[in-house]
Amino acid sequence: MLKKRIIICLDVKDGRTTKGVKFKDNKDIGDPVDMAAEYYRQGVDELVFYDIMASARGKKPILDLIARVASQVFIPFCVGGGIATLDDIRQIILAGAEKVSLNSQAVKKPELITEGARVFGNQCIVLGMDAAKDDSMPSGYRVYINGGRVATDLDAREWAQKAVRLGAGEIVLNSIDADGTRDGYELKLTRLISDAVEVPVIASGGGGTPQHLADVLQDGRADAALIASMVHSGDYTVQGIKQELAAKGVPVRL
């Protein structure tokens, strides 16, 4: 049986790790290099680093910061934010990341998914998708871009399926409604996308307790769970979460 992955997200703004609720009221919570090193020591399976303002400001990824984080961790490391060209992808991989997450730019330039997959392989291209409930959409969920600030005309399920056809090898699915709340993942949304595509789906938004992770990895059918607030707060450690998941019958790497 494939092991379920625990992935920690570092949202970065102006070179510092930040955390908000539903994409608002972000607070500085530390240095991303130090935090990455600590989570690697705790046994996290992967790290995701998002420059949350890069796309909105039209800025490029911070390559020196990416390289410093990569030097501290020897696990898969994914970078998102401000990636607009094939050369941006190349520079990030050369800086030490294994994967790139395309979110706003994937919507604006879908061909970037295909080009990236062709040059670097599907396993390098992750679709980042921010979705929120909207009963006017076929699946009941609408896709948003620019850090959840701009609504698109895209239906979440249809966009996920199209992105996979274009070459995305994985999807990080973030529920805007649940983001940062620590009230649990959006299980209906996660199941919807997990059942619609053949690639791994990483659930994001709402993780607050190990039970929430167990729910989304089992009932939500996610391949991995992305967490932030519950470990950034110091309430839980990676090892502690994994031990609780294992006790609940979730296959994880201990």
Side-chain angles (χ1 to χ4, degrees), residues 4 24 30 46 59-60 68 86 93 105 120 126 128 138 154 159 161 184 228 240 243:
K4 301 286 190 176
K24 296 186 181 79
E46 295 187 22
K59 291 192 172 183
K60 297 292 186 186
R68 284 164 55 215
L86 208 55
I93 290 172
Q105 290 298 332
F120 303 104
V126 179
L154 296 172
W159 174 229
Q161 290 172 326
Q243 285 168 348

Side-chain angles (χ1 to χ4, degrees), residues 5-253:
R5 290 171 287 150
I6 306 303
I7 302 173
I8 290 179
C9 178
L10 301 174
D11 284 335
V12 176
K13 179 182 178 185
D14 302 323
R16 298 283 294 175
T17 308
T18 182
K19 196 72 197 98
V21 177
K22 298 186 181 181
F23 292 80
K24 296 186 181 79
D25 303 321
N26 284 72
K27 295 180 174 62
D28 183 313
I29 57 170
D31 177 71
V33 181
D34 293 343
M35 293 174 74
E38 171 58 21
Y39 293 137
Y40 173 66
R41 189 187 65 74
Q42 288 184 20
V44 73
D45 297 309
E46 295 187 22
L47 274 176
V48 176
F49 172 113
Y50 286 131
D51 189 327
I52 61 169
M53 295 304 294
S55 288
R57 291 174 175 171
K59 291 192 172 183
K60 297 292 186 186
I62 312 168
L63 294 174
D64 64 321
L65 183 58
I66 293 165
R68 284 164 55 215
V69 171
S71 73
Q72 299 296 312
V73 301
F74 302 94
I75 50 175
F77 172 40
C78 179
V79 172
I83 302 167
T85 68
L86 208 55
D87 191 57
D88 290 340
I89 298 174
R90 183 178 289 107
Q91 293 295 330
I92 287 168
I93 290 172
L94 288 173
E98 281 76 25
K99 307 176 187 180
V100 296
S101 178
L102 304 177
N103 189 319
S104 302
Q105 290 298 332
V107 171
K108 296 169 186 174
K109 293 171 56 178
E111 65 274 13
L112 188 58
I113 300 174
T114 305
E115 292 170 6
R118 177 178 56 80
V119 175
F120 303 104
N122 301 67
Q123 79 288 345
C124 285
I125 307 301
V126 179
L127 176 73
M129 182 164 73
D130 296 314
K133 288 178 187 153
D134 187 329
D135 292 337
S136 69
M137 303 305 286
S139 70
Y141 294 90
R142 184 184 294 273
V143 175
Y144 286 73
I145 58 171
N146 289 4
R149 287 181 287 278
V150 178
T152 73
D153 293 329
L154 296 172
D155 175 75
R157 179 173 52 206
E158 291 171 4
W159 174 229
Q161 290 172 326
K162 180 179 179 181
V164 171
R165 288 197 301 273
L166 290 170
E170 196 166 59
I171 295 174
V172 173
L173 172 65
N174 188 56
S175 165
I176 294 174
D177 301 303
D179 182 78
T181 63
R182 299 180 67 178
D183 291 334
Y185 296 89
E186 239 271 43
L187 298 184
K188 181 182 172 187
L189 172 62
T190 309
R191 260 196 310 270
L192 176 84
I193 303 300
S194 295
D195 289 348
V197 298
E198 297 295 317
V199 302
V201 172
I202 300 162
S204 171
T209 68
Q211 184 61 54
H212 292 155
L213 276 77
D215 290 342
V216 83
L217 294 169
Q218 293 172 320
D219 300 342
R221 300 199 268 278
D223 297 274
L226 188 142
I227 55 176
S229 304
M230 63 187 289
V231 284
H232 296 340
S233 65
D235 292 345
Y236 295 94
T237 64
V238 175
Q239 199 60 26
I241 293 167
K242 285 188 171 186
Q243 285 168 348
E244 287 202 43
L245 289 175
K248 296 176 189 296
V250 179
V252 290
R253 292 183 189 88

